[in-house]
Amino acid sequence: MVPNKHDPSRLERICQAKGVKMTGQRRLIARVLSDSEDHPDVEQVYRRAFAIDSEISMATVYRTVRLFETAGVIERRDFGDGRARYEAARGDHHHHLIDLDNGKVIEFRNAELEGLIEAVALELGYRLEGIRLELYGMSAPRSAEEAHTRTKQLQARLAQAVRDRRPR
Amino acid sequence: MVPNKHDPSRLERICQAKGVKMTGQRRLIARVLSDSEDHPDVEQVYRRAFAIDSEISMATVYRTVRLFETAGVIERRDFGDGRARYEAARGDHHHHLIDLDNGKVIEFRNAELEGLIEAVALELGYRLEGIRLELYGMSAPRSAEEAHTRTKQLQARLAQAVRDRRPR
DNA sequence: CTGTAAATGCAAATCATTCGCAGTTGCAGG
DNA sequence: CCTGCAACTGCGAATGATTTGCATTTACAG
Ligand SMILES: [Mn+2]
Ligand SMILES: [Mn+2]
Ligand SMILES: [Zn+2]
Ligand SMILES: [Zn+2]
């Protein structure tokens, strides 16, 4: 493979920082995943990489994606359609809502939710090590104000509930 | 298959009430799932059924389990280990916490959590149609390193168990 | 340069699950 | 009791995602 003389992608830098040995195809895959804003499956990663440099195979994409995941550079997602998806690991842990009409994936993050989930685990006597949360829904147009108000009310109530139930 | 003269299982009654056509092997599978308190995968369902009456095949278990799921009699679970699990549908929708030490599955239910999740979906402009929530935790607080090590060990152990379970 | 370990590409193997098809079964109607 | 047909079943082969064995290539330390 022709050595890549372009500037390293964000993921390539992270790999280097973590001591992951880089090669031409690994750099290519790191670039593809850095540039992807969605949650591509392995075949999509392969296609995007192949489009840039055809010196790449599915087997290598599978191996590299596993390597990157183990190194914590990317994260594997399972949206229930039988294939693994990947995305660059960002600091925040967010969750996903899958639009049942068009398959679009909406990301979200909610501290109350996170806190409540952790409280639930604690109440069961466990220290939370991981969460997998996916929502499936159909787009339902309605007033954003109303939704927001309801959420705030609920969150206030829940915050109290969490406080009440936190041990110690 | 020898007609079953025993009293119908809970799931068999529910199937009948829903107008699902029953046969010998469907009754058998309904009984197995009625009697199961865990979350068996298809192979486990097959083994348990086979132990009662060997006139059953994997293909039929797969077909029946799909039929029952479509009818809403049982529910499919995905614990991320690459195979589907099933359990009788109860009224409550509960979630699962997987013990990283021993693989045990703890069920839980939490109305606040449910409400907050729904509110989140609403705020995103969606009507919630489904939730997938699994928690992974350890029963005693420990260091992150140890947690990771244990997770890896567990995964290796589970993979081996799956391999061992498969004869020939 | 050279030698060696690691990485790659290809094809074959796995694994859970589905499907085609030929034989079987369960009745509805006679 | 028969009969006929649609539904059901078992078997093995197909599927689709993922992994792996192996021969070849690459990276690079010495
Ligand atoms: Mn998370
Ligand atoms: Mn899955
Ligand atoms: Zn995401
Ligand atoms: Zn359950």
Side-chain angles (χ1 to χ4, degrees):
Chain A
M1 155 162 292
V2 178
N4 193 336
K5 304 218 163 14
H6 311 327
D7 7 57
S9 64
R10 193 180 76 88
L11 284 189
E12 179 177 344
R13 266 194 300 279
I14 296 176
C15 282
Q16 236 143 18
K18 296 207 181 198
V20 175
K21 190 191 287 188
M22 295 306 281
T23 67
Q25 15 284 83
R26 287 179 184 178
R27 262 183 283 275
L28 177 54
I29 294 169
R31 173 169 303 285
V32 164
L33 286 166
S34 292
D35 291 350
S36 295
E37 312 245 304
D38 51 348
H39 302 81
D41 61 34
V42 174
E43 188 172 346
Q44 287 173 297
V45 173
Y46 169 71
R47 277 210 229 287
R48 294 173 197 184
F50 188 94
I52 299 174
D53 184 332
S54 65
E55 223 161 298
I56 184 95
S57 73
M58 278 287 264
T60 295
V61 177
Y62 271 105
R63 283 191 274 240
T64 302
V65 118
R66 214 186 340 160
L67 175 74
F68 285 0
E69 192 207 345
T70 302
V73 175
I74 65 178
E75 283 171 9
R76 186 208 309 254
R77 302 290 177 194
D78 180 355
F79 294 163
D81 57 354
R83 78 196 72 210
R85 316 256 174 171
Y86 293 90
E87 69 180 318
R90 314 182 308 230
D92 68 335
H93 33 98
H94 62 277
H95 308 290
H96 301 85
L97 187 155
I98 292 93
D99 187 319
L100 290 173
D101 288 325
N102 54 25
K104 194 162 56 165
V105 175
I106 291 106
E107 306 191 319
F108 68 89
R109 216 164 73 76
N110 186 297
E112 275 347 290
L113 188 53
E114 216 79 23
L116 181 51
I117 287 174
E118 181 147 353
V120 166
L122 277 178
E123 192 173 1
L124 292 170
Y126 279 80
R127 189 185 131 168
L128 191 61
E129 297 290 339
I131 304 176
R132 188 154 104 206
L133 173 62
E134 291 126 41
L135 309 186
Y136 298 85
M138 309 222 296
S139 161
R142 65 183 71 232
S143 137
E145 285 74 17
E146 184 189 341
H148 192 259
T149 302
R150 291 179 60 174
T151 303
K152 281 302 165 201
Q153 291 173 343
L154 194 57
Q155 285 182 345
R157 202 150 23 89
L158 290 172
Q160 189 55 53
V162 168
R163 253 170 267 127
D164 291 347
R165 100 176 43 228
R166 184 155 280 148
R168 217 66 359 124
Chain B
M1 156 164 291
V2 178
N4 194 336
K5 305 224 171 355
H6 311 326
D7 5 58
S9 64
R10 193 179 76 88
L11 284 190
E12 179 178 345
R13 267 193 299 277
I14 296 176
C15 283
Q16 239 146 12
K18 296 208 180 196
V20 174
K21 189 191 288 186
M22 295 306 282
T23 68
Q25 16 284 83
R26 286 178 185 180
R27 262 183 282 276
L28 177 54
I29 294 169
R31 172 169 304 284
V32 164
L33 286 166
S34 292
D35 291 350
S36 295
E37 314 243 304
D38 51 349
H39 303 81
D41 61 34
V42 173
E43 189 174 341
Q44 287 174 297
V45 173
Y46 168 71
R47 278 213 220 290
R48 294 173 196 184
F50 189 92
I52 299 174
D53 185 333
S54 65
E55 225 159 293
I56 185 94
S57 74
M58 278 286 263
T60 294
V61 177
Y62 269 106
R63 283 192 274 240
T64 302
V65 118
R66 216 190 334 162
L67 176 74
F68 285 0
E69 191 206 347
T70 302
V73 176
I74 64 177
E75 283 171 9
R76 187 209 308 256
R77 302 290 176 192
D78 180 356
F79 292 164
D81 56 355
R83 75 200 67 224
R85 315 257 174 171
Y86 293 90
E87 68 180 317
R90 314 183 305 228
D92 66 336
H93 31 102
H94 62 277
H95 307 290
H96 301 86
L97 186 156
I98 291 93
D99 186 320
L100 291 174
D101 287 327
N102 54 27
K104 194 163 55 168
V105 176
I106 290 107
E107 306 190 320
F108 68 90
R109 212 165 74 77
N110 186 296
E112 283 108 328
L113 188 53
E114 215 80 20
L116 180 50
I117 287 174
E118 181 147 354
V120 167
L122 273 180
E123 193 165 7
L124 293 170
Y126 279 80
R127 192 166 72 91
L128 191 61
E129 297 288 338
I131 304 175
R132 191 156 97 200
L133 173 62
E134 290 127 43
L135 310 185
Y136 298 85
M138 305 209 302
S139 50
R142 316 162 185 281
S143 75
E145 282 74 19
E146 191 179 344
H148 190 260
T149 301
R150 286 183 166 243
T151 302
K152 286 296 166 209
Q153 290 174 343
L154 182 68
Q155 287 178 344
R157 201 145 29 86
L158 289 175
Q160 188 56 51
V162 169
R163 254 172 267 126
D164 291 346
R165 173 140 42 85
R166 183 173 309 284
R168 221 67 347 127

